Amino acid sequence: MAYSSENSPLQIDSSPCGSSTSCSIVRTPRIALLLLMLFMATSCHREDEGHTPPQLAQSEPASQHANASRALPSTEGGSRPIAAARIVATTTKYADRYPALSALAESGDASAAFQLYEDLKRCASAEAREEAMEALAAESGDKALVSNIVASLSEDRVVCAGLSDEQLATRDHWIDVAARLGQPEAQLAYFSVATEKFDTPEKVVANIEEIARIKTQALIYLTSAAEKGNRTAIFNLANHYHDGTLARRDPVKAYAYMRLLQQRGGVDSATKYLDLWRRDMTTEQVMSAEAIAADANKRRGAR
């Protein structure tokens, strides 16, 4: 099927995602079998109901998609608001700042929500990290390394003291809130975090519908980040559409995103991907993708 730049707009802002000149795919650390099963879950995502993936970077905010329900006001997630920064700077224990940060997050502060996720992520994995680091210290003869390990574990115990199991269990909630509010790091990490709990083949099979929902939401979040000019999000979307991991495989959209990334510079591998993907595309598909990318750059220049 031919694509046109009119019905498949690629509308992305020109702001860079940061100072990095390279981007990489954010992938969930999974054993090969789980990755395969997660991939298979995409093909089960209501194909019989005529589900189609979102358009390339819709001109309306991603939060307005029907699948992206949100009851929180949006804030700019690119820089930490002063209120959240002040709370972090004046508290040591995460339990002490949890109430204030959660209140800010619920009122629409994306950075407060992401800070809560970061705090809880550290403390939720503290026990496993402690075991690994203690084993490393026991095997190492490096006194400096041992000293650093001891200091790090001591810091974990201090900052994590007082957090309840109920608070620790809200980690996934806060990254979802941060992503819905437009925090780019949260939008990039959402899929990995949301699927961590499906760590066995049995869990994957038993939660196919939930995984499909997470994939739809992750695609919306990545598209939102790409609209802000986040290069990693653009790169990831190109690969997701090429591989069919978060949505139906779409070589035209994949090529268009990668072409846009190449045109913006800073990603040496983009040209190699385009050369490789072009071998499996028709001339019409390549021309359609080129038109989509060119139209996106034209709109960017008009702003």
Side-chain angles (χ1 to χ4, degrees), residues 119-136:
D119 290 354
L120 297 172
K121 177 182 69 172
R122 175 178 183 177
C123 296
S125 62
E127 184 175 347
R129 187 169 61 252
E130 181 173 353
E131 293 177 359
M133 293 179 74
E134 286 179 343
L136 177 61

Side-chain angles (χ1 to χ4, degrees), residues 48-123:
D48 57 334
E49 296 180 15
H51 171 78
T52 56
Q55 293 289 323
L56 283 181
Q58 298 275 5
S59 57
E60 72 272 12
S63 59
Q64 293 181 11
H65 284 280
N67 290 326
S69 60
R70 53 180 287 182
L72 298 171
S74 176
T75 64
E76 177 57 50
S79 60
R80 177 176 296 172
I82 295 175
R86 183 181 297 116
I87 292 171
V88 171
T90 56
T91 55
T92 300
K93 292 184 178 181
Y94 294 167
D96 292 341
R97 67 196 193 198
Y98 185 96
L101 285 176
S102 61
L104 278 177
E106 293 292 3
S107 68
D109 189 320
S111 292
F114 190 68
Q115 183 63 55
L116 282 166
Y117 160 72
E118 292 272 272
D119 290 354
L120 297 172
K121 177 182 69 172
R122 175 178 183 177
C123 296

Side-chain angles (χ1 to χ4, degrees), residues 4-223:
S4 72
S5 58
E6 294 181 355
N7 57 27
S8 292
L10 182 63
Q11 194 157 339
I12 298 176
D13 196 87
S14 60
S15 304
C17 61
S19 59
S20 172
T21 58
S22 63
C23 299
S24 60
I25 306 173
V26 177
R27 296 192 185 277
T28 308
R30 268 304 172 267
I31 60 175
L33 178 59
L34 291 180
L35 279 172
L36 176 61
M37 298 187 78
L38 283 172
F39 169 77
M40 291 173 64
T42 301
S43 63
C44 300
H45 189 191
R46 304 190 182 280
E47 296 280 349
D48 57 334
E49 296 180 15
H51 171 78
T52 56
Q55 293 289 323
L56 283 181
Q58 298 275 5
S59 57
E60 72 272 12
S63 59
Q64 293 181 11
H65 284 280
N67 290 326
S69 60
R70 53 180 287 182
L72 298 171
S74 176
T75 64
E76 177 57 50
S79 60
R80 177 176 296 172
I82 295 175
R86 183 181 297 116
I87 292 171
V88 171
T90 56
T91 55
T92 300
K93 292 184 178 181
Y94 294 167
D96 292 341
R97 67 196 193 198
Y98 185 96
L101 285 176
S102 61
L104 278 177
E106 293 292 3
S107 68
D109 189 320
S111 292
F114 190 68
Q115 183 63 55
L116 282 166
Y117 160 72
E118 292 272 272
D119 290 354
L120 297 172
K121 177 182 69 172
R122 175 178 183 177
C123 296
S125 62
E127 184 175 347
R129 187 169 61 252
E130 181 173 353
E131 293 177 359
M133 293 179 74
E134 286 179 343
L136 177 61
E139 297 174 3
S140 174
D142 188 333
K143 293 183 179 180
L145 176 61
V146 172
S147 178
N148 289 336
I149 288 175
V150 171
S152 178
L153 292 177
S154 297
E155 183 180 351
D156 281 353
R157 296 187 188 102
V158 170
V159 299
C160 296
L163 280 172
S164 67
D165 291 340
E166 290 76 13
Q167 289 172 326
L168 289 170
T170 63
R171 184 198 68 160
D172 290 7
H173 167 71
W174 293 121
I175 197 170
D176 188 26
V177 171
R180 279 187 283 146
L181 291 172
Q183 212 283 342
E185 292 176 84
Q187 292 176 325
L188 289 170
Y190 171 78
F191 180 70
S192 294
V193 175
T195 55
E196 272 184 9
K197 54 182 174 284
F198 308 122
D199 55 359
T200 67
E202 293 76 16
K203 290 180 181 178
V204 172
V205 171
N207 293 277
I208 291 295
E209 287 295 318
E210 175 65 7
I211 291 170
R213 184 198 65 78
I214 291 171
K215 286 182 175 184
T216 297
Q217 195 64 58
L219 188 66
I220 291 169
Y221 289 155
L222 277 180
T223 301

Side-chain angles (χ1 to χ4, degrees), residues 1 29 50 62 71 99 101 153 169 178 206 271 282 285 302:
M1 182 178 87
L101 285 176
L153 292 177
T271 299
T282 66
Q285 285 177 319

